[in-house]
Amino acid sequence: MKRIFIALILITVIIGAFELTACGETGVDNINIEYDAKTVYGVYWYSGDGEYVRSSGDMSADLFDPSKPTFVFAHGWEPDANNSSNALVEDLVTHPDTIKQTGLNLDYNYAEELKDMGYNVALLGWFSYAKNLGDLFKYIWVDFDGGHALSVRFAQELASVLGNDYSQDVKIVGHSYGSQLALATTYQLSKFKENGLISNQHIIPTRMTLADPYIGMPKLINSWNKIAKSKISYTNEKISNRTPNVLFADQMDYVVSTNDIAVDIYCGMSIASTGYYAYDGSDANFEKLSKNCAFVKSAGLMEKYGDTSIHNVTRDWVLMSIVNEVILYDQNEDIAPSGAASDEQIKSMRGKCYNQNFKGLSLSQDSMTLVDRMTEKY
């Protein structure tokens, strides 16, 4: 009996040692920040003249200049094949659907304008894999192609390119399901820092701007019951049956409280945000999310173009506000949310909710209304 007892102890010790080796002392997977530069998915850098080039170990300064701030864009579900010049990334230009919906003759090359503003411009390219809505949550948070989730792989590539000596700011903008990817990638970079995989705080975004984020609904996620019991890639944090909107609010709370990130969110279609429109205190997850950001309902755009038609219009509203450096004001003549508001200004708006006013896509005529987060009155 004594021998059996000792044998059981030894087996337990061996299993425990294996788990520490496999996942590290903190429970995270043992990984490094190296990345596979041969994959189709990855980080693509804008060189100018409509060209996007994949990360590499010998990038020239016209692709990545460590003395400049970095702008990262994450596209969402079902990218338009007509909106890509290389079928690898969604071009950072005016979305064709925005032109169709508004009837305006818009011709923005946001990447070019951001480059002229002094940014390194990077796109999280997952164009070929963003087509099946039911798989996107799994790809972003849980696993992808038999390995780590896309958020981990993008975090590894960004960390590798920026490196230990980078000292500028990083701004990350997500549209639609790309907002999930922007948040998840920021979460992974935060965990990299927390677990000693990287030491440079400047790799973690200082600003996260989300354009009509797709929060996600379990009924639209393939095998949700199985995914709900799985773990987040790299960190092995249990999802623990948290629905996507709960997980989104939790992880936003983590990255903001850990890194003091400035976050502004601009919602368009009600279905994309799973009903995140009721400023009435009834939704604990919305309360957790909104306390960490400046939250905007695109009320004017919705009234002009309709609820289901402003998904990409909201994208372009946000990007136009950034490249045109549009500062907006509320009814009290205080600075209100826009892509051009400074990080500190956005931080000062945490917990505040706004309605966007102008009934059309014209930021020069636009304004915001600060509303009571419990009554939606002003």
Side-chain angles (χ1 to χ4, degrees):
M1 179 65 70
K2 184 175 181 181
R3 290 180 180 178
I4 294 174
F5 179 70
I6 293 172
L8 288 172
I9 292 175
L10 287 174
I11 290 170
T12 302
V13 170
I14 291 170
I15 292 173
F18 173 78
E19 288 177 346
L20 287 175
T21 302
C23 297
E25 293 182 0
T26 60
V28 299
D29 294 341
N30 282 330
I31 64 172
N32 53 43
I33 61 170
E34 294 178 359
Y35 65 95
D36 184 355
K38 296 180 181 179
T39 58
V40 174
Y41 65 86
V43 182
Y44 288 80
W45 302 82
Y46 187 71
S47 64
D49 299 323
E51 295 293 325
Y52 298 88
V53 180
R54 181 71 192 282
S55 303
S56 68
D58 57 352
M59 289 194 298
S60 60
D62 68 319
L63 293 174
F64 174 72
D65 185 338
S67 70
K68 296 179 178 180
T70 298
F71 182 100
V72 181
F73 181 75
H75 71 75
W77 168 53
E78 203 173 35
D80 187 345
N82 296 320
N83 206 29
S84 175
S85 56
N86 60 11
L88 299 174
V89 295
E90 180 183 276
D91 293 352
L92 197 52
V93 299
T94 307
H95 199 286
D97 186 57
T98 297
I99 298 172
K100 176 182 177 182
Q101 296 297 337
T102 65
L104 299 174
N105 186 24
L106 301 170
D107 187 24
Y108 281 92
N109 183 336
Y110 302 112
E112 193 73 47
E113 298 201 35
L114 288 161
K115 196 84 170 172
D116 291 342
M117 292 169 69
Y119 285 100
N120 302 307
V121 181
L123 275 66
L124 303 186
W126 57 309
F127 195 87
S128 301
Y129 305 96
K131 296 178 181 179
N132 189 343
L133 180 63
D135 292 330
L136 303 194
F137 184 90
K138 176 176 180 286
Y139 289 170
I140 290 170
W141 289 102
V142 181
D143 65 76
F144 172 72
D145 195 26
H148 284 111
L150 283 171
S151 57
V152 177
R153 304 185 195 210
F154 284 127
Q156 288 173 297
E157 191 162 338
L158 286 170
S160 180
V161 173
L162 270 61
N164 290 328
D165 298 326
Y166 188 70
S167 60
Q168 303 301 311
D169 288 340
V170 176
K171 176 196 291 283
I172 189 164
V173 175
H175 172 233
S176 188
Y177 235 121
S179 296
Q180 292 267 358
L181 183 57
L183 174 58
T185 300
T186 302
Y187 163 83
Q188 296 293 354
L189 287 169
S190 300
K191 288 296 185 180
F192 285 4
K193 177 70 165 50
E194 181 180 306
N195 295 317
L197 191 59
I198 61 175
S199 59
N200 186 1
Q201 181 70 30
H202 290 280
I203 295 173
I204 300 171
T206 56
R207 177 73 167 272
M208 187 188 311
T209 298
L210 305 181
D212 206 8
Y214 184 82
I215 305 300
M217 292 177 281
K219 66 181 180 180
L220 298 180
I221 297 174
N222 293 336
S223 304
W224 171 252
N225 290 337
K226 179 179 179 181
I227 290 174
K229 296 178 176 61
S230 62
K231 298 178 181 179
I232 295 174
S233 188
Y234 167 64
T235 69
N236 292 306
E237 176 187 344
K238 293 181 180 179
I239 293 179
S240 299
N241 291 308
R242 285 176 290 178
T243 53
N245 61 320
V246 176
L247 184 69
F248 196 89
D250 284 350
Q251 305 308 49
M252 184 67 75
D253 189 59
Y254 165 76
V255 299
V256 171
S257 62
T258 303
N259 303 287
D260 194 30
I261 298 171
V263 181
D264 44 335
I265 297 179
Y266 305 85
C267 282
M269 296 194 307
S270 55
I271 190 173
S273 303
T274 321
Y276 271 175
Y277 285 104
Y279 299 160
D280 61 7
S282 64
D283 187 334
N285 299 305
F286 175 71
E287 293 302 304
K288 178 180 283 190
L289 178 65
S290 62
K291 80 171 186 178
N292 288 303
C293 69
F295 192 90
V296 175
K297 182 199 318 186
S298 301
L301 295 180
M302 186 183 296
E303 186 168 341
K304 174 67 174 179
Y305 303 115
D307 186 357
T308 59
S309 301
I310 60 171
H311 191 51
N312 292 309
V313 178
T314 305
R315 166 196 184 270
D316 284 286
W317 188 102
V318 168
L319 291 170
M320 288 166 61
S321 77
I322 295 171
V323 299
N324 291 330
E325 301 181 277
V326 175
I327 299 295
L328 297 178
Y329 295 87
D330 64 20
Q331 73 272 30
N332 303 313
E333 298 187 1
D334 293 326
I335 290 179
S338 75
S342 71
D343 293 356
E344 292 306 313
Q345 288 167 337
I346 291 297
K347 289 178 188 179
S348 74
M349 302 175 206
R350 284 175 181 158
K352 295 181 178 179
C353 298
Y354 297 81
N355 285 341
Q356 171 268 336
N357 291 323
F358 186 72
K359 299 176 180 63
L361 185 56
S362 175
L363 279 90
S364 64
Q365 302 179 72
D366 221 330
S367 64
M368 294 283 174
T369 298
L370 175 64
V371 299
D372 188 286
R373 59 183 294 135
M374 296 299 173
T375 65
E376 200 170 351
K377 295 181 180 179
Y378 51 90

